[in-house]
Amino acid sequence: MKFNAFPVVRYLLFFILGITVYLQTDSYAISFPTEIIYYLIGFLMLIFGLSIRFRQPVVRGSALMAIIFLAGWSLTHFKTASNQPNHFINLPQFSHYQATIIGNSETKPKTFKVEAEINAIKVNGQWIKATGKTLLYFNKQASEKPQYGDVFLIKNMPREVEAPKNPEEFDYRKFLQYKGIYTHHFLWGQEYEKIGHQAPSKLLEFSYKANQYADSVFKARIETPNEYGVASAMVAGLRDDIDNDLLDAYSASGAIHVLSVSGMHVGILFLFLGWMLGWIKKRGKFGKQIFTVLVIGILWGYAIFTGLSSTVLRATVMFSFIQIGTAIGRRQNIYNTLAISALLLLCWNPFWLIDVGFQLSYLAIIGIVFLHPYLYQLLSPNNPIIRSLWEGTCVCFAAQLFTFPLSVYYFHQFPTYFLIANPFVAFFSFAVLPAGLALLILAKVPFLGTVFGFILKHSLVFLNKSIFLFEKLPFATLKGFSISFTEVILIYAIILLIVFFFLRLEFKYLRISLALVFVLTCFNISQDYLQSKQKSLTFHFIPKKSGISIIDGKSATFIADTTLLNSEKTHDFHLKNYYDKSGVVNENKLASNQYTNKQGITYLDFEGKKILWLQQKFNGKLQGNADYVLLSNNAIRKLNPSFTNFQTGLIIVDDSNKRYVVENLKHQADSLHLNLISLYDTGAFSINE
């Protein structure tokens, strides 16, 4: 099998390279005049035309790859929302704006979260047209759930989404920027008014209504909360009603992908349709064509029921191309078929390249296509049940093998029993999805609606029970991994080399893989040694709270009030990635009030540096000196006279202080020539040794 047999794969790789280069240069604020890029594309097209005329294949191929590379770069530039001149962030400040809801509302504990498109802004009393998406958060107590197409008049400007403020914290701002969203606005009831309803797309409006209908059917037919939550998530793509314990169980078993409508669900439906409708292909002259139209039609119908989410759209496009390729006899060149679908999707939205779901979906399919045929040949069970289980195991292993390095890179954990759990998950999912779709279609037919409701409910019961069973096994999930992108590349290289060794039995692949394993081992040993010697103290930014981390080698101590110490959400969002990156093995928690004197002062010593932490109202005068002073809970409102006879290198104000108090302290520090920072402005502050 030669690489020349996959020309579209080559085009895709250069297109991806162009997108990647743009994203990297944009991340580092490196810009190139777009006119130069366009002139360069024109020049290369001239070279390409001349190379055809004078029969120069090397020049022709090089020019074509360069054109595709620049096309990827320029398309990404064009698709970047902030580059549009009429985007609202490029326009003057405004007092009001009109926004249309363009998505399904997501129910949060206190708000409805939804995407909106800004259509016009009011500048100095005049309305001007604008574009650009923003996130809106509607207070649940003061408003009804916003619907797709609702138009609102909103007072004030949306606020820019802030960058992460703790080491290694998830960059939610960049995540939203890749979706074309740069701002958000919390609406508490007085600053907005619904002024109309105008759906931007009738198809999307129908899709969202179908999605809501699906949720209502499951709520009516499935009484138990866990089963209803999983049904709504698996079939309709709605995860609002899933219990946290159930989420943790699915995550521990390596089946969390089941709860997000994705390529796996479309793939299961694709296989089910092939099994149920395969007989059509053998009927008549146009059997294959009829089968293809039916399968693609049902897949797109399913996509509509899920609200046309991006994950389902991508998977539906991918499997549609696979089915078309099979129908026209191109199954042997499925890599080109996959490449065409990926190229089409990236032309529509180049930012899908850095979407985790997009990456994992294609890696899983490539793993299955490449490895499954070889694995399946290892055994030939006669029993149809065992044969089905064996095939499911091969599919799951191939998919997991090609996705686990990237999964560890993004999620910092590995499900130990995935090879055992996933065949069970796939088996029950094979019943859940068809039964769920049949129930949606036949819900109002008395007998059939009851039958499919029964099948769906009990399939979900068995699925959830098996998930909880695997979660309770010892060492169900290995956590705390933190690998670099370089390590990801090395791991993929090792996997491919070992696979080639077993397929071709050539020892050169084994030797190279062992050499890479040695390099990876040496890298990890050196990293482990450096982590064992590390010492750092970090003043964390935690909204409305105070917290300090002290890392000594591979142990971390988090000091905060009892409420914060017991908050899993705080740990997972603000601390976990930082501890994983630092190789922390032992975590300790200390309640800050245990080390506070009667004046509300805590004294800390870190590698010879004195730290003074004030946690309650203090009206006296500080005496002596400290390298750092941390102010919490509005402990000091006037720096003078508290710091008159006290020397310090830096005053740190965390987010437990009221905002107006922080602003007053900043002005006072400027007047008194004291060095003061607010963690709200700077993010976490670390002292490293």
Side-chain angles (χ1 to χ4, degrees), residues 43-329:
F43 174 73
L44 287 168
M45 291 181 70
L46 178 63
I47 296 295
F48 178 74
L50 291 173
S51 65
I52 295 176
R53 172 69 177 80
F54 294 103
R55 298 182 181 179
Q56 296 292 326
V58 175
V59 176
R60 182 178 68 242
S62 301
L64 181 58
M65 294 304 109
I67 290 170
I68 292 172
F69 167 82
L70 292 175
W73 189 98
S74 57
L75 181 65
T76 311
H77 176 273
F78 177 76
K79 292 280 189 175
T80 301
S82 59
N83 291 332
Q84 305 303 317
N86 59 340
H87 194 286
F88 68 89
I89 66 172
N90 299 321
L91 298 174
Q93 291 189 345
F94 48 92
S95 59
H96 298 76
Y97 63 94
Q98 291 181 14
T100 303
I101 305 302
I102 58 170
N104 239 347
S105 296
E106 183 180 346
T107 304
K108 296 290 185 181
K110 296 181 179 180
T111 61
F112 296 119
K113 172 186 172 185
V114 66
E115 288 185 21
E117 176 76 23
I118 293 180
N119 309 310
I121 60 175
K122 192 174 186 179
V123 180
N124 298 325
Q126 298 292 323
W127 285 99
I128 60 175
K129 290 184 178 181
T131 62
K133 293 191 290 186
T134 188
L135 275 183
L136 298 180
Y137 293 83
F138 290 85
N139 182 7
K140 287 170 66 174
Q141 303 300 322
S143 66
E144 296 181 351
K145 192 173 186 178
Q147 302 296 318
Y148 177 81
D150 286 350
V151 183
F152 289 90
L153 174 63
I154 302 173
K155 185 180 178 181
N156 298 324
M157 294 178 62
R159 186 162 54 92
E160 183 181 357
V161 179
E162 296 170 342
K165 293 187 176 183
N166 289 288
E168 306 302 326
E169 192 173 271
F170 173 66
D171 195 341
Y172 187 58
R173 180 176 70 169
K174 184 170 286 187
F175 171 79
L176 289 178
Q177 284 178 352
Y178 289 147
K179 294 176 175 288
I181 301 172
Y182 304 91
T183 60
H184 56 184
H185 202 162
F186 290 84
L187 306 171
W188 301 111
Q190 302 298 323
E191 63 270 59
Y192 68 91
E193 178 186 357
K194 182 179 174 181
I195 60 174
H197 181 91
Q198 187 173 1
S201 167
K202 292 298 181 183
L203 176 61
L204 277 176
E205 184 175 39
F206 174 77
S207 177
Y208 287 133
K209 287 181 179 178
N211 190 239
Q212 292 166 7
Y213 163 77
D215 185 55
S216 67
V217 169
F218 295 140
K219 188 172 289 185
R221 293 281 182 171
I222 304 175
E223 305 83 10
T224 49
N226 279 349
E227 282 66 45
Y228 155 67
V230 175
S232 190
M234 285 186 67
V235 184
L238 299 172
R239 292 178 54 167
D240 296 347
D241 296 290
I242 298 181
D243 181 75
N244 287 332
D245 291 337
L246 188 63
L247 274 175
D248 292 340
Y250 272 84
S251 178
S253 64
I256 190 66
H257 54 280
V258 169
L259 301 181
S260 296
V261 174
S262 62
M264 172 195 165
H265 301 72
V266 181
I268 288 174
L269 183 58
F270 181 76
L271 292 174
F272 178 81
L273 292 174
W275 174 63
M276 282 290 294
L277 305 177
W279 58 271
I280 297 177
K281 292 186 287 185
K282 301 176 182 178
R283 298 297 177 92
K285 182 178 180 181
F286 301 102
K288 284 186 178 180
Q289 290 81 352
I290 295 172
F291 173 78
T292 297
V293 171
L294 280 174
V295 168
I296 293 175
I298 294 172
L299 290 180
W300 282 98
Y302 172 59
I304 289 174
F305 267 113
T306 63
L308 290 172
S309 66
S310 59
T311 52
V312 174
L313 277 175
R314 294 194 300 258
T316 304
V317 169
M318 180 172 66
F319 281 104
S320 296
F321 270 91
I322 291 174
Q323 181 56 46
I324 292 170
T326 304
I328 61 177

Side-chain angles (χ1 to χ4, degrees), residues 282 321 343 456 566 624:
K282 301 176 182 178
F321 270 91
L343 193 59
L456 177 62
N566 296 327

